[in-house]
């Protein structure tokens, strides 16, 4: 059920899957299962399998309602997404545990802004993806999945918002609705690689 909630909310740009997992009390368990997978393979595998199945069910259930809202009420829906982004700021501040001002704070914020701007001008866009076939199309979607996966493990960063910046949000929602495996499988594989690398680089072993 918790995986279902996290998976469903991941489809909403601005709503962080990591933040939702933290609210539900499973964030530490997810990080531990990925970063120390080899230590307790059977338990970690079962935990991640059940969570991923729940997340996919949540995505499948909410993809149609979210697509309908974006198509029928585009401006109110997008304003809601903006509100979701702003609403996540207090949680990010609490989790950062910053008690005193440091020059590093504005430096990190500036770095984050530069990264988001850089992603927004990423070479490939959604209108070009449909024209890419074979290895080039696979690698492009694989890269998009890996980038989006980084947001999954970082609280306050939205997976769907990253897809929106890449211009792949609508296409991803449509692919989930129609079970377009040629689109979803490369992104899924990229996501798995991105999650493993992010867990190893940014988090210590539990």
């Amino acid at each position: 059920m918790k995986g279902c909630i996290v998976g469903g909310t991941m489809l909403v740009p601005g709503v962080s899957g990591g933040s939702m997992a933290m609210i539900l009390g499973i964030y530490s368990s997810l990080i531990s299962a990925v970063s120390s997978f080899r230590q307790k393979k059977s338990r970690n595998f079962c935990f991640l399998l059940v969570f991923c199945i729940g997340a996919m069910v949540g995505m499948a259930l909410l993809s149609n309602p979210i697509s309908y809202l974006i198509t029928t009420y585009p401006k109110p829906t997008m304003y809601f997404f903006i509100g979701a982004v702003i609403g996540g700021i207090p949680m990010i501040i609490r989790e950062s545990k910053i008690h005193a001002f440091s020059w590093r704070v504005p430096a990190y914020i500036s770095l984050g802004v530069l990264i988001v701007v850089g992603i927004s001008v990423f070479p490939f866009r959604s209108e070009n993806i449909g024209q890419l076939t074979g290895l080039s199309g696979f690698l492009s979607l694989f890269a998009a999945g890996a980038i989006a996966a980084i947001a999954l493990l970082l609280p306050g960063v939205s997976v769907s918002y990253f897809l929106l910046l890449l211009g792949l949000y609508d296409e991803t929602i449509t692919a989930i609705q129609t079970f377009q495996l040629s689109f979803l499988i490369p992104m899924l594989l990229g996501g798995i690689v991105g999650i493993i690398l992010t867990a190893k680089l940014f988090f210590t072993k539990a």
Side-chain angles (χ1 to χ4, degrees):
M1 290 302 297
K2 291 181 178 180
C4 185
I5 295 172
V6 172
T9 55
M10 281 169 53
L11 297 178
V12 181
V15 179
S16 167
S19 296
M20 185 58 63
M22 190 172 291
I23 292 172
L24 295 173
I26 59 173
Y27 181 75
S28 297
S29 298
L30 283 172
I31 296 300
S32 176
V34 175
S35 62
S36 60
F37 182 82
R38 294 183 179 180
Q39 295 180 5
K40 299 177 181 179
K41 292 182 180 180
S42 298
R43 191 180 74 173
N44 290 335
F45 176 79
C46 292
F47 177 81
L48 293 173
L49 178 64
V50 173
F51 175 81
C52 289
I53 291 174
M56 288 187 288
V57 171
M59 289 181 181
L61 291 176
L62 288 182
S63 59
N64 281 319
I66 291 176
S67 179
Y68 170 79
L69 289 174
I70 292 176
T71 303
T72 310
Y73 308 103
K75 288 186 177 180
T77 303
M78 295 310 295
Y79 288 144
F80 171 79
F81 293 161
I82 293 173
V85 174
I86 296 174
I89 293 176
M91 176 177 289
I92 297 173
I93 294 175
R94 287 196 301 269
E95 291 301 321
S96 65
K97 298 179 181 178
I98 297 174
H99 303 292
F101 179 80
S102 170
W103 64 269
R104 293 184 180 88
V105 175
Y108 291 148
I109 293 175
S110 299
L111 178 60
V113 171
L114 289 175
I115 291 174
V116 172
V117 172
I119 292 174
S120 67
V121 294
F122 202 71
F124 67 85
R125 305 298 297 168
S126 60
E127 56 267 21
N128 298 327
I129 288 292
Q131 301 174 3
L132 296 177
T133 57
L135 184 60
S136 59
F138 181 92
L139 292 177
S140 296
L141 291 172
F142 183 92
I147 293 172
I150 297 174
L152 176 60
L153 295 185
L154 299 180
V157 184
S158 168
V159 174
S160 293
Y161 183 64
F162 266 51
L163 293 176
L164 201 60
L165 289 176
L166 292 172
L168 293 172
Y169 180 74
D170 292 339
E171 285 70 19
T172 303
I173 293 294
T174 301
I176 293 174
Q177 292 174 333
T178 59
F179 295 100
Q180 187 180 345
L181 296 181
S182 60
F183 188 98
L184 295 175
I185 289 178
M187 290 197 71
L188 177 62
L189 294 176
I192 293 173
V193 172
I195 288 173
I196 294 173
L197 292 178
T198 302
K200 293 296 183 182
L201 290 174
F202 292 96
F203 302 96
T204 57
K205 291 185 178 181

